[in-house]
């Protein structure tokens, strides 16, 4: 149960970051391709988080945790990359 809650919170935060970038991009007068680009980027994580919520409500927390775990891999790898950049302090000259 705790694994589901941690993964759900992590994925919800990653989804909030995506929504922030979507809303931030709206201020620059998006063209007609803006929604075509952002629709799958937003729809897939929203569907996965909503699907995991439904699965958890049906008592299938293991499957819901696997679903959330798959969605958590890219943001987690990105966080590891950022932490590596902070710790290593590379010199890009």
């Amino acid at each position: 149960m705790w694994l589901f809650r941690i993964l759900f919170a992590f994925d919800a935060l990653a989804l909030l970051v995506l929504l922030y970038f979507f809303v931030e991009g709206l201020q620059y007068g998006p063209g007609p391709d803006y929604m075509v680009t952002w629709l799958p980027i937003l729809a897939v994580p929203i569907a996965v988080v909503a699907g995991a919520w439904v699965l958890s409500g049906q008592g299938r927390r293991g499957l819901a945790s696997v679903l959330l775990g798959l969605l958590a891999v890219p943001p987690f790898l990105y966080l590891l990359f950022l932490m590596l950049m902070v710790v290593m302090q590379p010199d890009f000259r």
Side-chain angles (χ1 to χ4, degrees):
M1 180 155 170
W2 58 270
L3 178 64
F4 173 78
R5 288 182 181 177
I6 290 171
L7 288 172
F8 190 83
F10 185 75
D11 287 343
L13 287 174
L15 185 58
L16 285 175
V17 169
L18 284 176
L19 287 172
Y20 169 76
F21 282 114
F22 172 72
V23 171
E24 190 68 26
L26 285 175
Q27 75 177 348
Y28 295 108
D33 294 335
Y34 188 74
M35 287 305 290
V36 173
T37 303
W38 275 96
L39 185 63
I41 295 173
L42 291 175
V44 170
I46 289 172
V48 169
V49 169
W53 183 267
V54 169
L55 284 172
S56 174
Q58 294 175 349
R60 301 181 74 184
R61 287 197 190 259
L63 186 58
S65 295
V66 168
L67 195 60
L68 289 174
L70 289 174
L71 183 63
V73 170
F76 183 71
L77 290 176
Y78 182 69
L79 280 177
L80 286 178
F81 174 73
L82 286 179
M83 287 176 25
L84 180 69
M85 290 294 117
V86 168
V87 170
M88 298 298 287
Q89 296 178 355
D91 186 16
F92 294 112
R93 288 189 201 174

